[in-house]
Amino acid sequence: MAISILFIAIIIGILFLFALYMYENSPFSKTTGYTFIDLWTDKKIKSLYKIVRALPKESDNYKILFNLVLPNNRNVDMVILHEAGIFVTDIKNLGGWIFGREQDSLWAQALHKDKLIKFNNPIIDTKLAILDLKEVLPNLARGHFQSLIVFNDNCSFNKIEIHSQNVDVVKVKELKNYWKNDLDKKITTEEINKIYNALEKYVSFKENKKQPSINNITAN
C-alpha cells in the first residue's frame, strides 16, 4: 500500500514539474512575467492564458499586448493584433447568469434569486478604449477595431443582446471555434508590426517583476 502511494506521489510530482517547466518556458510566461503560482491563484491570469492558447496554432500572423494603460488612464486587459483586425479584449471572471444589452450602461450578474450584482457594460468600456486607441493610431479606420468580450466558462448568458457587427461576446471555451470563423483580412503583417510598436509603450507590468522583452507570442 505504501509503495503504491509513493508511486502515485512520484507520478504527480513528475507531472507537476513537467507542467511547471512547460509554463515557465512558454511565450505567455516570458511575455507577461506571470509565474506558475500567479496562473493558479489569479482567475484573470488563467483566463488570459486560456485565451492565448485558443488562438490558431497554424498561423503566427498575430501579436498580443497585455495590461495596457492608455493615455486617458484607461485599462485594457488585452489587445490582439490579428490579420482580421484589432481585437480590444475585456475579460470578465463572473459566475451565475449574465444579463445585458449593448446599449445599457450597466449589466447584471444573478448569483441566485435574491442577489443581483450590477457591473459596467464591458462593450461600452471597450468602445471607449477604441476611441483612445484611435488617438494613438489615427491612420486606422474604425472598421479595423473589434470589441471582444470574453467571460469565463462558469457563467451562463441570459438575454445578451448585441446589434453591432464589430462586437462579440463569447466564453473562453468558444474561442477556438471563434477563430475558425471565416474572418475577413483587414491588416497586413507589416501593419501588425507597426501597430504593435506603437502600442508597446502602453503595456504595464507588475512592479515586482522584471520587464520582459515582448516578442511575437504564439498559442503554445
Side-chain angles (χ1 to χ4, degrees), residues 203-217:
V203 173
S204 175
F205 296 93
K206 294 173 68 175
E207 292 181 359
N208 63 333
K209 293 187 180 297
K210 180 180 178 181
Q211 180 167 321
S213 173
I214 299 186
N215 297 309
N216 196 29
I217 182 170

Side-chain angles (χ1 to χ4, degrees), residues 179-196:
W179 294 112
K180 289 179 181 178
N181 291 334
D182 188 17
L183 301 173
D184 295 333
K185 293 183 179 181
K186 296 179 180 177
I187 53 178
T188 65
T189 301
E190 182 180 358
E191 288 174 319
I192 288 174
N193 292 330
K194 288 181 178 179
I195 296 167
Y196 181 87

Side-chain angles (χ1 to χ4, degrees), residues 87-104:
F87 292 78
V88 181
T89 308
D90 192 338
I91 298 169
K92 295 298 179 188
N93 290 289
L94 302 173
W97 292 90
I98 306 299
F99 300 80
R101 299 181 301 173
E102 182 175 342
Q103 66 271 26
D104 294 335

Side-chain angles (χ1 to χ4, degrees), residues 80-202:
I80 303 172
L81 307 177
H82 190 275
E83 60 185 5
I86 302 169
F87 292 78
V88 181
T89 308
D90 192 338
I91 298 169
K92 295 298 179 188
N93 290 289
L94 302 173
W97 292 90
I98 306 299
F99 300 80
R101 299 181 301 173
E102 182 175 342
Q103 66 271 26
D104 294 335
S105 59
L106 294 174
W107 284 17
Q109 172 195 19
L111 296 177
H112 51 75
K113 184 177 180 180
D114 299 322
K115 189 171 183 180
L116 195 68
I117 299 174
K118 299 290 184 68
F119 60 95
N120 289 337
N121 182 342
I123 296 174
I124 293 177
D125 289 342
T126 55
K127 287 185 176 182
L128 291 173
I130 288 171
L131 291 176
D132 291 345
L133 287 169
K134 278 287 295 170
E135 293 182 8
V136 179
L137 306 166
N139 295 326
L140 288 178
R142 178 63 180 83
H144 286 76
F145 294 89
Q146 186 83 10
S147 292
L148 179 60
I149 316 302
V150 182
F151 283 83
N152 65 19
D153 297 328
N154 297 325
C155 69
S156 298
F157 293 154
N158 190 357
K159 297 181 180 179
I160 300 294
E161 297 180 11
I162 309 298
H163 56 77
S164 297
Q165 292 185 346
N166 63 336
V167 174
D168 289 301
V169 179
V170 299
K171 296 181 184 178
V172 171
K173 65 183 180 182
E174 298 170 343
L175 282 170
K176 285 191 176 181
N177 288 331
Y178 177 81
W179 294 112
K180 289 179 181 178
N181 291 334
D182 188 17
L183 301 173
D184 295 333
K185 293 183 179 181
K186 296 179 180 177
I187 53 178
T188 65
T189 301
E190 182 180 358
E191 288 174 319
I192 288 174
N193 292 330
K194 288 181 178 179
I195 296 167
Y196 181 87
N197 292 334
L199 296 180
E200 186 176 6
K201 63 183 177 182
Y202 298 108

Side-chain angles (χ1 to χ4, degrees), residues 13-124:
I14 291 173
L15 292 174
F16 173 80
L17 290 174
F18 178 75
L20 176 63
Y21 173 82
M22 293 297 293
Y23 175 76
E24 294 294 342
N25 288 277
S26 69
F28 179 84
S29 174
K30 292 177 180 179
T31 299
T32 63
Y34 291 130
T35 66
F36 195 64
I37 294 176
D38 292 330
L39 179 68
W40 289 102
T41 57
D42 190 304
K43 291 181 179 179
K44 176 160 282 191
I45 294 173
K46 184 179 289 188
S47 293
L48 284 170
Y49 185 56
K50 288 180 178 180
I51 291 170
V52 171
R53 288 180 61 84
L55 284 162
K57 295 182 180 180
E58 66 273 9
S59 171
D60 61 355
N61 196 21
Y62 57 83
K63 290 191 175 185
I64 305 176
L65 299 113
F66 304 92
N67 303 325
L68 286 82
V69 181
L70 299 177
N72 292 331
N73 289 324
R74 199 180 312 281
N75 295 306
V76 179
D77 292 330
M78 176 188 292
V79 174
I80 303 172
L81 307 177
H82 190 275
E83 60 185 5
I86 302 169
F87 292 78
V88 181
T89 308
D90 192 338
I91 298 169
K92 295 298 179 188
N93 290 289
L94 302 173
W97 292 90
I98 306 299
F99 300 80
R101 299 181 301 173
E102 182 175 342
Q103 66 271 26
D104 294 335
S105 59
L106 294 174
W107 284 17
Q109 172 195 19
L111 296 177
H112 51 75
K113 184 177 180 180
D114 299 322
K115 189 171 183 180
L116 195 68
I117 299 174
K118 299 290 184 68
F119 60 95
N120 289 337
N121 182 342
I123 296 174
I124 293 177

